[in-house]
């Protein structure tokens, strides 16, 4: 392909017409350019900041930036929820840096301080550079994260005015050591929370409690900081900001930044001659398609980033493009993902900013990472899970009002297939609201312990932590974690640090270190919960384009020993799952059927793994594993039908397991349309006769201890959700079921049994009794003691199960990174 000017229409036309690929482009959306709207600089913004902005080419702020500055200067907490490249940073930096400049005139030169929180180290480092461009050196800007050398940390505590860190470091390093931070906290005027839409689910709930602990300590030292939040475009940003911080917030949503034209293509890879499990037709993978498209774009000199759903996928896309390009262009393509060592990340970020790299295959770590300007195209190998993330990723191209191309490449998955054939679900539907639940007792309890260790808890503190706090304190006392003294205050009783008992990222324990056995070299880490499925003995592990075989996984020492190898296969874990109902919050009658929401216990055990040929997906063999079971107490939505309904739907007993299993898989695949989750945040189990309900029952549950709010959102929007599920199955062109409708890439039963036609009839009879409208009804959340009551566990007398991931983003890496490779179930 010869070099060309990077006109998005021409790029997309070339990609789709070359090599006979026109039928793969299912829809093209043209988003027009938008002119900028400007406003004067608000009063109170220092002349030094205005002059520095002018030197960077900003003579006037856009109107939404000026609105945010005004609100911040008046002491109002504000959330700026506008598009990518809309200058949110300047909107909060101008008032923050102005306050810090005012503070330099105090006697000690530190009359005001500010704290910046980012979900990734890379973003915090990028923000330090931006802040340094806007203020004189007398405002002392400093990073404080896991990479900060010990000798620098004391200087930051004593002298820095603007400290940039992440929630993990605030939780583990700053709050427990608050006496050493007293001068900083006493002068704290602003807290900036960047990319706040990434704080969702259990991670967001943890961060919400960390912020409440911060507010409590600030009050102790006499400060009352204003919170400034920046978010991608989401629904209900003010309500989300209030749930996150516990304070009312004003939303700034009218985006006045200029935008170049965006051409957005929806792309469906073709069917191949290969067949998958049980002879199902298989499409070409999204990662393989992305690798070819990236190759052609790089050959044309088009600066491109590919967003891939998994760490493994990012490695594979980069490796494929490098192989096809050959020297010298291969050296201008790289992978970028969480789990790399710090020096590897820094080198890649430098090459991205300099433009030396033309093509990058990245996990969503880059979605929230460094500011990469001048990109021409964005490829998304699979729907990123939410519309908010979709637009955030698409917005990485087309900076400075230039035209841009974005292409969503569908995976062989029910949701992706649905979206590329229903463009209105992307382009005519508002973005989702961020789901988080700070009152989740599994989240709140360890934070109450951490707060008591920082300062004894008193009655007035409880309102800050929410309505679940008071009932939890006696529970924590019975467990010997807290003790109430005669003054009425609650004290931490243990010698160990209370903060170390809190797992912000939901990773389930200490990260497992991946060590090269012959050399002892540390390759990287994987979260503890991922170890069973991704680095079990015999697993194939990819790092920097190289393949390794896991020789041994030692769970006691949290080490996986690997050795360099090039097997012609990949591995996929197999597991068994059982589920029991602990308590039912709410039940709705749908005719004879019943829809419920409540608490469940899920027991999962990885029992083996498959070896699949890389080129075709052919199963080469299966090996057994002896790993301990893992227990999860969480929240779930479930529905049951009666025997009479099965007769009406013409579903005999022998078809029921396949019908329920197929309906479960497809409903999990479609739930991300209705909740801010993706398939890898949730799991499911289908049971032909569940002992707790006495009926055929399908469960969909949150893959996090205590729940994350996703299944509850499914319960509230069940009619729309299950209607879309039925439509997605019925509309698929395959005959018996395939990955585009009812097969799951993470099914613990090997996608057996599945009955596509019976699943359509089963969902049809369920929906026949559904109400036309749903009153928003929420049952009271059971307290910790109620959750502890159990019924006899239902063992695996089930049609099948789909397990949520085990892998979660590494600490201080992207909160949004949702891996696909190697997850169980």
């Amino acid at each position: 392909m010869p070099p060309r000017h990077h006109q998005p229409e021409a790029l997309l036309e070339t990609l789709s017409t070359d090599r006979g690929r026109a039928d793969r482009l299912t829809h093209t959306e043209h988003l027009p350019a938008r002119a900028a709207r400007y406003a004067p600089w608000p009063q109170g913004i220092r002349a030094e900041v205005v002059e520095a902005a002018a030197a960077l080419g900003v003579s006037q702020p856009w109107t939404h930036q000026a609105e945010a500055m005004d609100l911040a200067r008046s002491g109002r907490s504000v959330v700026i929820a506008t598009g990518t490249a809309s200058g949110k940073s300047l909107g909060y930096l101008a008032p923050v840096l102005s306050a810090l400049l005012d503070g330099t005139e105090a006697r000690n030169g530190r009359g005001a301080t500010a704290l910046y929180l980012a979900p990734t180290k890379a973003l915090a480092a990028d923000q330090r550079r931006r802040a340094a461009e806007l203020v004189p050196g007398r405002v002392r800007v400093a990073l404080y994260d896991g990479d900060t050398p010990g000798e620098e940390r004391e200087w930051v505590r004593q002298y820095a005015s603007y400290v940039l860190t992440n929630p993990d470091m605030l939780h583990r390093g700053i709050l427990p050591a608050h006496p050493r931070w007293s001068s900083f906290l006493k002068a704290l005027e602003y807290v900036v929370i960047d990319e706040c839409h990434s704080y969702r689910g259990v991670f967001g709930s943890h961060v919400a409690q960390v912020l409440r602990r911060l507010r409590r300590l600030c009050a102790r030292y006499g400060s009352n900081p204003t919170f400034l939040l920046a978010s991608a475009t989401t629904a209900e940003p003010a309500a989300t900001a209030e749930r996150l911080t516990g304070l009312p917030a004003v939303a700034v949503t009218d985006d006045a930044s200029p935008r170049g034209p965006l051409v957005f293509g929806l792309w469906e890879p073709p069917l191949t001659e290969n067949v998958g499990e049980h002879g199902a037709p298989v499409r070409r993978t999204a990662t393989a398609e992305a690798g070819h498209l990236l190759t052609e774009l790089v050959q044309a000199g088009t600066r491109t980033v590919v967003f891939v759903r998994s760490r493994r996928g990012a490695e594979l896309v980069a490796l494929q493009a490098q192989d096809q390009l050959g020297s010298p262009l291969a050296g201008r393509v790289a992978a970028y993902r969480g789990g790399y060592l710090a020096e590897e990340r820094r080198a890649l970020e430098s090459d991205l900013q300099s433009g030396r790299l033309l093509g990058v295959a990245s996990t969503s770590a880059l979605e929230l990472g460094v500011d990469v300007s001048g990109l021409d195209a964005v490829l998304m190998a699979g729907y990123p899970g939410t519309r908010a993330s979709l637009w955030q990723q698409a917005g990485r191209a087309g900076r400075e009002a230039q035209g841009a191309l974005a292409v969503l490449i569908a995976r062989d998955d029910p949701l992706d297939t649905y979206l590329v054939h229903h463009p209105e679900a992307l382009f005519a539907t508002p973005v989702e609201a961020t789901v988080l639940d700070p009152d989740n007792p599994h989240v709140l309890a360890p934070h109450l312990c951490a707060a008591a260790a920082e300062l004894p808890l008193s009655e007035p503190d409880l309102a800050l932590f929410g309505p679940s706090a008071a009932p939890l304190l006696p529970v924590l006392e019975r467990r010997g974690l807290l003790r109430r003294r005669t003054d009425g205050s609650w004290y931490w009783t243990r010698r160990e640090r209370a903060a170390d008992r809190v797992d912000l990222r939901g990773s389930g324990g200490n990260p497992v270190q991946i060590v090269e056995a012959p050399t002892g070299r540390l390759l990287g880490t994987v979260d503890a919960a991922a170890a069973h499925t991704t680095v079990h003995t015999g697993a194939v592990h990819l790092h920097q384009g190289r393949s390794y075989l896991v020789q041994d996984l030692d769970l006691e020492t949290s080490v996986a020993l690997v050795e360099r190898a090039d097997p012609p296969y990949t591995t996929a874990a197999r597991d068994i799952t059982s589920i029991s109902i602990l308590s039912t919050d709410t039940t709705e009658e749908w005719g004879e059927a019943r829809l419920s929401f409540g608490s469940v216990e899920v027991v999962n055990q990885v029992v083996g793994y498959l070896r699949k040929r890389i080129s075709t997906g052919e199963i080469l063999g299966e090996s057994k594993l002896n790993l301990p079971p893992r227990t999860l107490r969480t929240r779930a939505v479930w529905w049951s039908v009666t025997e009479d309904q099965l007769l009406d739907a013409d579903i005999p007993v022998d078809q029921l397991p396949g019908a329920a299993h197929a309906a479960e898989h497809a409903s999990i695949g479609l739930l991300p349309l209705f909740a801010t989750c993706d398939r890898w945040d949730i799991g499911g189990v289908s049971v032909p006769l569940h002992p707790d309900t006495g009926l055929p029952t399908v469960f969909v549950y949150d893959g996090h201890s205590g729940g994350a709010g996703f299944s509850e959102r499914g319960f509230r929007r069940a009619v729309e959700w299950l209607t879309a599920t039925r439509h997605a199955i019925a509309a698929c062109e395959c005959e018996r079921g395939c990955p585009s409708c009812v097969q799951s890439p993470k099914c613990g039963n090997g996608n057996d049994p599945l009955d596509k036609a019976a699943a359509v009839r089963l969902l049809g009879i369920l929906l026949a009794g559904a109400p036309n409208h749903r009153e928003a009804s929420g049952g009271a959340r059971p307290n910790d003691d109620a959750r502890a009551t159990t019924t006899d566990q239902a063992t695996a007398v089930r049609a099948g199960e789909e397990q949520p991931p085990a892998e979660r983003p590494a600490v201080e890496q992207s909160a949004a990174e949702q891996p696909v490779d190697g997850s169980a179930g």
Side-chain angles (χ1 to χ4, degrees), residues 215-236:
R215 288 176 51 209
R216 177 172 175 257
L217 292 177
C218 286
R220 164 66 175 79
Y221 290 108
S223 64
N224 183 26
T226 298
F227 283 76
L228 309 180
L229 301 93
S231 171
T233 303
T234 63
E236 305 172 1

Side-chain angles (χ1 to χ4, degrees), residues 420-510:
V420 295
H421 292 286
H422 294 81
E424 70 281 356
L426 292 176
F427 303 114
T429 304
V431 292
E432 310 89 342
T434 302
V435 177
L436 67 149
D437 180 12
D439 296 325
N440 178 341
H442 291 264
V443 170
L444 176 57
H447 285 283
L448 290 175
C449 293
E454 289 153 7
L455 285 174
L457 279 168
S458 61
E459 287 291 339
D461 293 328
L462 299 185
L464 180 66
F465 291 100
S468 296
L472 276 176
L473 292 175
V475 176
L476 296 171
E477 185 177 31
R478 288 197 296 273
R479 293 179 181 173
L481 299 173
L482 295 183
R483 182 173 68 251
R484 192 172 196 180
R485 292 188 177 172
T486 54
D487 62 359
S489 297
W490 300 86
Y491 288 75
W492 173 244
T493 63
R494 304 292 184 90
R495 289 185 177 180
E496 68 267 23
R497 283 170 29 114
D500 293 340
R501 300 174 65 93
V502 186
D503 182 10
L504 289 196
R505 307 270 177 169
S507 57
N510 294 325

Side-chain angles (χ1 to χ4, degrees), residues 274-277 570 611-620:
N274 301 323
V275 294
E277 291 178 309
T570 61
R611 295 182 299 280
K612 295 184 177 182
R613 192 183 301 278
I614 293 174
S615 57
T616 65
E618 174 190 356
I619 296 173
L620 301 176

Side-chain angles (χ1 to χ4, degrees), residues 559-642:
V559 171
L561 294 175
V562 302
E563 193 167 350
R564 187 80 172 84
D566 289 297
Y569 59 83
T570 61
T571 51
R574 286 289 181 250
D575 62 5
I576 57 173
T577 302
S578 58
I579 192 166
S580 58
I581 298 172
L582 302 181
S583 62
T584 302
D585 285 11
T586 310
T587 295
E588 289 188 356
E589 304 295 333
W590 283 19
E592 295 181 27
R594 180 175 295 173
L595 179 80
S596 300
F597 171 73
S599 297
V600 297
E601 182 176 79
V602 182
V603 178
N604 173 260
Q605 184 175 20
V606 174
V607 295
Y609 63 95
L610 298 178
R611 295 182 299 280
K612 295 184 177 182
R613 192 183 301 278
I614 293 174
S615 57
T616 65
E618 174 190 356
I619 296 173
L620 301 176
E622 181 173 2
S623 299
K624 303 297 183 184
L625 291 171
N626 184 25
L627 290 167
R630 303 177 71 96
T631 299
L632 173 72
R633 289 190 176 184
T634 186
R635 309 282 273 167
V637 56
W638 63 91
W639 50 268
S640 304
V641 295
T642 65

Side-chain angles (χ1 to χ4, degrees), residues 120-126 128 143 145-148 166 336 340-353 370 812-813:
T120 68
K121 290 180 181 178
L123 183 55
D126 193 55
R128 180 176 65 169
L143 280 174
D145 60 27
D147 294 339
T148 304
N166 49 66
Y336 182 97
Y340 283 168
L341 301 178
E343 55 269 25
E344 293 176 314
R345 293 198 313 270
R346 297 291 181 261
L348 287 168
E349 290 158 13
S350 174
D351 289 342
L352 279 170
Q353 290 171 332
V370 295
E812 299 179 5
Q813 291 303 315

